[in-house]
């Protein structure tokens, strides 16, 4: 079946555009439609096996994380749109197949072409664009599978989702003792230290904590310390969804295993992934190693500390989250910038002083202040460099200086925030607090 190329006639989008127009700037709604349509028309490729291959934008590969986030805003549009439902199912099936093929890879080719980000590494699999192991690469498709089920009630993807979940659980349990149990290595020659793993491809040493190890961050940069805190909490949330889906399928063994691992990851993160900050009190670290070292920072790429309510079943009113949020959105965070054009979180992955639209959207989505969400929506419109699209990052003082002309994940995050401001978004699928948010009453699916 052909996939839809536009959302202009979707009733939820039409309602959202009307409500956004009432705010006095037609660019809000116009950019929403443009971002959603761009993803449908330009990033999705129907495959002969009935799946869908999704490029991240200006790179011809499919990231498990990016393709999930690119699909997330469409969850709000699915109730009466079977074509969009079939599209998301096709993406999920592709993701499940990729996980089955190589659960350590983060990005894949459409065919066994041998194309790669850099051919000078240990992976020779022609299907794999890059084999940077990141915990979130396994977590995000499972989050999407669970939210799709909740949004539609459809179950035709659950059996395959459970197979992907079993692969993820095996990897996450193995990587709880990376030093002794894991065979994964990543070595890339003649590159900056952030693009390879030291210690013979094993990464910096870690001690077992009960957390699960990750070689790389969601930015695809190497972890400074092997236990990425937001990724561990995101994995726990994905496992919550697995447990719920497994119970629905009457697979009690898998449900119990998923729930047990989710609880273990959360408890280990509570014990080993928090620090006492002199200004904020107890907060989450970004990375730890179980040996006493901790990195206090955040990164614009999700899962981030700022995004925990959105991707990790953490309440936006949780005191530990609020203290962490205050740190992240302050000069104490080395990746937070304030300039004449905007203030927000950036990333070591991009030049110094660059703010990420993804992080601005996440700040808005995880805020309970409707006025602040609207202000951030205005900031995103004002910093698009006159292109009508979101970029990877822009300079805090000059939005015309930006990285990546075409970055579909950023477009999707604008759409998520715009739908949320209009009261038509996905909040009911992820917000664990009661009565959070503002604006119009939210549509329930």
């Amino acid at each position: 079946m052909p996939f839809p190329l536009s959302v202009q006639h979707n009733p939820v989008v039409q309602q959202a555009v009307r409500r956004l127009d009432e705010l006095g700037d037609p660019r809000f709604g116009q950019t929403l439609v443009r971002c959603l349509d761009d993803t449908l028309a330009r990033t999705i490729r129907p495959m002969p096996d009935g799946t869908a291959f999704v490029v991240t934008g200006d790179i011809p590969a499919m990231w498990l994380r990016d393709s999930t986030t690119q699909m997330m805003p469409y969850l709000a549009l699915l109730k009466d749109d079977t074509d969009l439902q079939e599209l998301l199912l096709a993406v999920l099936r592709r993701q499940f197949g990729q996980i089955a093929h190589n659960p350590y890879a983060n990005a894949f080719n459409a065919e066994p072409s041998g194309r790669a980000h850099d051919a000078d590494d240990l992976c020779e699999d022609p299907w794999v664009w890059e084999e940077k192991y990141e915990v979130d690469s396994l977590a995000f498709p499972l989050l999407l599978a669970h939210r799709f089920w909740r949004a539609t009630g459809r179950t035709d993807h659950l059996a395959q989702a459970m197979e992907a979940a079993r692969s993820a659980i095996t990897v996450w349990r193995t990587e709880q003792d990376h030093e002794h149990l894991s065979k994964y290595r990543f070595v890339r020659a003649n590159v900056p230290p952030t693009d390879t793993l030291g210690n013979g491809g094993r990464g910096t040493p870690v001690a077992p904590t009960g957390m699960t190890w990750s070689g790389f961050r969601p930015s695809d940069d190497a972890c400074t310390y092997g236990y990425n805190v937001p990724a561990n909490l995101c994995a726990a949330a994905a496992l919550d969804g697995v447990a719920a889906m497994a119970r629905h399928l009457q697979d009690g063994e898998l449900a119990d295993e998923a729930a047990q691992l989710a609880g273990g990851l959360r408890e280990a993160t509570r014990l080993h992934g928090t620090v006492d900050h002199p200004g904020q009190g107890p907060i989450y670290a970004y990375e730890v190693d179980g040996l006493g070292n901790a990195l206090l920072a955040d990164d614009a790429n999700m899962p981030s500390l700022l995004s925990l309510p959105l991707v990790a079943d953490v309440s936006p009113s949780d005191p530990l989250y609020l203290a962490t949020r205050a740190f992240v959105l302050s000069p104490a965070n080395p990746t937070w910038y304030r300039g004449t054009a905007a203030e927000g979180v950036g990333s070591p992955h991009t030049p110094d002083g660059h703010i990420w639209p993804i992080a601005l959207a996440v700040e808005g989505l995880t805020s309970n202040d409707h006025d602040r969400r609207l202000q951030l929506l205005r900031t995103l419109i004002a910093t698009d460099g006159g292109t009508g699209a979101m970029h990877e990052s822009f300079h805090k003082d000059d939005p015309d200086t930006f990285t990546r002309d075409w970055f579909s994940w950023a477009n999707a995050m604008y759409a998520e925030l715009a739908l949320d401001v209009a009261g038509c978004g996905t909040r009911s699928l992820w917000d664990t607090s009661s009565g959070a948010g503002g604006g119009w009453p939210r549509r329930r699916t």
Side-chain angles (χ1 to χ4, degrees):
M1 107 184 289
F3 297 136
L5 298 178
S6 176
V7 297
Q8 290 186 8
H9 301 298
N10 183 279
V12 178
V13 172
Q14 291 177 335
Q15 181 184 50
V17 170
R18 287 194 299 269
R19 290 176 172 179
L20 291 168
D21 285 347
E22 292 171 9
L23 299 174
D25 190 336
R27 293 178 299 172
F28 292 156
Q30 292 167 359
T31 304
L32 169 64
V33 174
R34 184 183 303 115
C35 286
L36 290 172
D37 280 356
D38 182 83
T39 296
L40 294 178
R42 300 177 64 202
T43 72
I44 298 170
R45 175 180 165 188
M47 303 301 289
D49 61 359
T51 66
F53 187 86
V54 185
V55 299
T56 187
D58 54 8
I59 302 174
M62 180 171 174
W63 266 257
L64 287 166
R65 172 193 55 253
D66 291 36
S67 58
T68 296
T69 56
Q70 287 167 259
M71 296 299 105
M72 283 294 191
Y74 300 99
L75 291 170
L77 318 182
L78 297 181
K79 184 178 181 182
D80 300 311
D81 196 326
T82 55
D83 289 345
L84 273 179
Q85 291 180 22
E86 292 299 325
L87 169 58
L88 264 68
L89 281 174
V91 174
L92 281 166
R93 293 186 185 111
R94 190 78 187 180
Q95 292 176 329
F96 298 150
Q98 290 167 338
I99 290 171
H101 182 77
N102 186 337
Y104 279 93
N106 60 321
F108 294 83
N109 294 312
E111 297 92 6
S113 62
R115 299 183 71 178
H117 174 81
D118 187 329
D120 189 16
D121 59 34
L122 300 180
C123 183
E124 298 180 354
D125 187 337
W127 284 99
V128 172
W129 172 269
E130 194 167 54
E131 195 185 36
K132 286 182 173 178
Y133 172 61
E134 302 163 10
V135 169
D136 65 279
S137 294
L138 296 172
F140 267 97
L142 296 175
L143 286 177
L144 182 62
H146 181 242
R147 293 179 187 182
F148 179 85
W149 173 50
R150 289 190 59 202
T152 65
R154 292 185 62 163
T155 61
D156 32 345
H157 66 299
L158 293 191
Q160 199 176 4
M162 295 304 93
E163 290 305 310
R166 289 185 178 91
S167 294
I169 289 171
T170 297
V171 170
W172 289 338
R173 286 205 179 279
T174 297
E175 297 301 337
Q176 286 180 304
D177 191 358
H178 174 71
E179 297 289 336
H180 297 102
L181 300 181
S182 179
K183 296 180 180 179
Y184 173 78
R185 304 289 183 266
F186 187 94
V187 177
R188 184 172 282 167
N190 303 314
V191 295
T194 55
D195 208 29
T196 188
L197 296 181
N199 192 25
R202 294 171 175 84
T204 55
V206 294
T209 62
M211 299 173 73
T212 192
W213 177 90
S214 189
F216 293 86
R217 299 169 180 167
S219 64
D220 301 334
D221 290 343
C223 291
T224 300
Y225 305 119
Y227 298 126
N228 184 278
V229 168
N232 270 261
L233 294 173
C234 181
L239 289 164
D240 290 341
V242 168
M245 291 184 287
R247 289 190 204 100
H248 182 80
L249 295 177
Q250 299 183 332
D251 188 340
E253 182 178 355
L254 178 58
D256 290 346
E257 186 176 11
Q260 181 183 40
L261 181 54
L265 293 176
R266 286 197 177 93
E267 179 64 9
T269 302
R270 183 186 68 82
L271 292 174
H272 300 279
T274 58
V275 298
D276 193 15
H277 186 269
Q280 301 297 339
I283 64 171
Y284 288 114
Y286 184 67
E287 290 171 357
V288 295
D289 61 4
L291 298 168
N293 296 303
L295 175 63
L296 301 188
D298 200 15
D299 194 282
N301 292 269
M302 294 194 299
S304 60
L305 296 173
L306 188 62
S307 72
L308 291 178
L310 186 62
V311 300
D313 288 348
V314 172
S315 170
S317 59
D318 176 77
L320 183 58
Y321 170 72
L322 288 174
T324 306
R325 180 186 181 90
F327 162 78
V328 169
L329 298 176
S330 78
N333 172 17
T335 60
W336 183 86
Y337 305 106
R338 172 182 284 154
T340 57
E343 62 181 47
V345 180
S347 171
H349 194 69
T350 47
D352 188 60
H354 277 60
I355 295 168
W356 282 50
I358 287 174
L360 295 175
V362 168
E363 181 185 347
L365 285 161
T366 55
S367 171
N368 288 336
D369 185 340
H370 176 71
D371 291 338
R372 178 59 178 160
R373 294 207 300 275
L374 181 56
Q375 180 184 4
L376 287 161
L377 198 66
R378 290 195 176 103
T379 299
L380 288 169
I381 291 291
T383 56
D384 67 357
T387 66
M390 301 298 110
H391 305 296
E392 179 186 50
S393 70
F394 62 88
H395 193 272
K396 61 186 178 65
D397 299 316
D398 179 15
D400 290 335
T401 300
F402 53 80
T403 60
R404 297 188 67 173
D405 290 334
W406 184 28
F407 190 36
S408 185
W409 181 5
N411 285 336
M413 294 308 300
Y414 172 88
E416 282 244 60
L417 180 59
L419 288 167
D420 189 64
V421 168
C424 300
T426 62
R427 186 173 288 262
S428 64
L429 299 175
W430 56 263
D431 192 344
T432 60
S433 63
S434 59
W440 291 274
R442 283 171 294 281
R443 172 182 178 268
R444 301 286 175 176
T445 54

